[in-house]
Amino acid sequence: MGLIHIELFATLDLVGQAPGGPDEDTEGGFPFGGWQAPLMDDVAGAQVGAAYEGTDALLLGRRTYDIFAAYWPHQEGGEDDGIATLFNSVPKYVASRGRPDLSWAGSTQLGPDLAGAVREIRDRHEHVKVVGSLNLVQTLLREKLFDRLDLWVHPIMLGVGKKVFDGGAVPTNVTLLEPPAAGPKGTVYLRYGLADGTPATGDMTGPDRGAGREV
């Protein structure tokens, strides 16, 4: 069975909407499209590039697919040739209730049973990457249909916009797979793996905890 990797870029208040450009997603009058661009650096770029190593399929929501399909087929031979060549060559699976234009080579629309379709994709591939696609991510979080979660947290707060965990998260344990890494502009890279069970609770007021003691 393969792995489903979710790749997400978020602000400190966990807004994940439209990091890449002003016209990426203006739903709700979102005024900060392209917020990630001023915060990119060589460290984050290398981390993102390394995260895609071994990818043999993309799983995308409709909006992200349309953006990628309009951009990546024209980037081979440029400065992003490595990612462009990868994205253009691997199968692309699109989660959409509509009728997307699937002219990007290797694209397939998933059926109405999204959870079942994702499980089939996981059986068919080794490393499936989910990029952006916040609506799709909510379903994957709710169904626990992911194995890895890569999160880049950027040092800004927007106060508005779609949240990374907006309505999809359920009680879930994850484990940190490697130490957090901070770039020179303050972006922190976190890589988690899905873990068994649900979050435990405890008591911080015991005699050895110090909580509630008078000073």
Side-chain angles (χ1 to χ4, degrees), residues 6 15 22 27 29 37 43 45 55 73 104 129 131 133 150 175 187 189 195 202 206 211-213 215:
I6 298 176
V15 173
E27 185 177 337
V43 172
T55 298
W104 192 11
K129 283 291 190 297
V131 188
S133 308
D150 287 356
T175 183
T187 297
Y189 173 44
R213 291 183 181 176
V215 178

Side-chain angles (χ1 to χ4, degrees), residues 6 118 130 136-146:
I6 298 176
V118 171
V130 183
L136 169 61
V137 165
Q138 304 312 311
T139 299
L140 300 180
L141 293 173
R142 188 162 44 246
E143 300 288 338
K144 295 190 180 181
L145 276 173
F146 71 97

Side-chain angles (χ1 to χ4, degrees), residues 25-39:
D25 181 2
T26 58
E27 185 177 337
F30 184 67
F32 294 111
W35 54 263
Q36 185 187 22
L39 298 169

Side-chain angles (χ1 to χ4, degrees), residues 141-215:
L141 293 173
R142 188 162 44 246
E143 300 288 338
K144 295 190 180 181
L145 276 173
F146 71 97
D147 302 283
R148 302 284 186 269
L149 173 60
D150 287 356
L151 184 64
W152 284 264
V153 180
H154 298 72
I156 54 172
M157 292 184 284
L158 300 181
V160 296
K162 300 174 186 175
K163 298 294 185 74
V164 167
F165 302 105
D166 189 11
V170 296
T172 303
N173 285 330
V174 295
T175 183
L176 191 65
L177 298 178
E178 57 191 56
K185 292 189 177 182
T187 297
V188 178
Y189 173 44
L190 301 163
R191 169 167 275 194
Y192 294 104
L194 181 65
D196 293 333
T198 55
T201 60
D203 187 351
M204 297 294 290
T205 60
D208 297 325
R209 300 288 187 173
R213 291 183 181 176
E214 293 183 1
V215 178

Side-chain angles (χ1 to χ4, degrees), residues 62-187:
R62 167 71 178 272
R63 192 188 302 273
T64 301
Y65 173 81
D66 286 344
I67 293 169
F68 279 19
Y71 180 79
W72 288 112
H74 312 291
Q75 303 308 310
E76 290 191 28
E79 60 178 303
D80 293 323
D81 177 73
I83 291 181
T85 300
L86 172 66
F87 282 7
N88 291 329
S89 62
V90 300
K92 276 76 69 174
Y93 298 98
V94 188
S96 174
R97 296 185 180 91
R99 300 180 65 183
D101 176 6
L102 299 178
S103 57
W104 192 11
S107 299
T108 303
Q109 182 174 359
L110 300 181
D113 179 9
L114 181 58
V118 171
R119 291 186 179 96
E120 290 181 5
I121 292 170
R122 182 192 256 164
D123 290 338
R124 196 177 306 148
H125 298 281
E126 293 297 322
H127 298 284
V128 181
K129 283 291 190 297
V130 183
V131 188
S133 308
L134 289 181
N135 291 336
L136 169 61
V137 165
Q138 304 312 311
T139 299
L140 300 180
L141 293 173
R142 188 162 44 246
E143 300 288 338
K144 295 190 180 181
L145 276 173
F146 71 97
D147 302 283
R148 302 284 186 269
L149 173 60
D150 287 356
L151 184 64
W152 284 264
V153 180
H154 298 72
I156 54 172
M157 292 184 284
L158 300 181
V160 296
K162 300 174 186 175
K163 298 294 185 74
V164 167
F165 302 105
D166 189 11
V170 296
T172 303
N173 285 330
V174 295
T175 183
L176 191 65
L177 298 178
E178 57 191 56
K185 292 189 177 182
T187 297

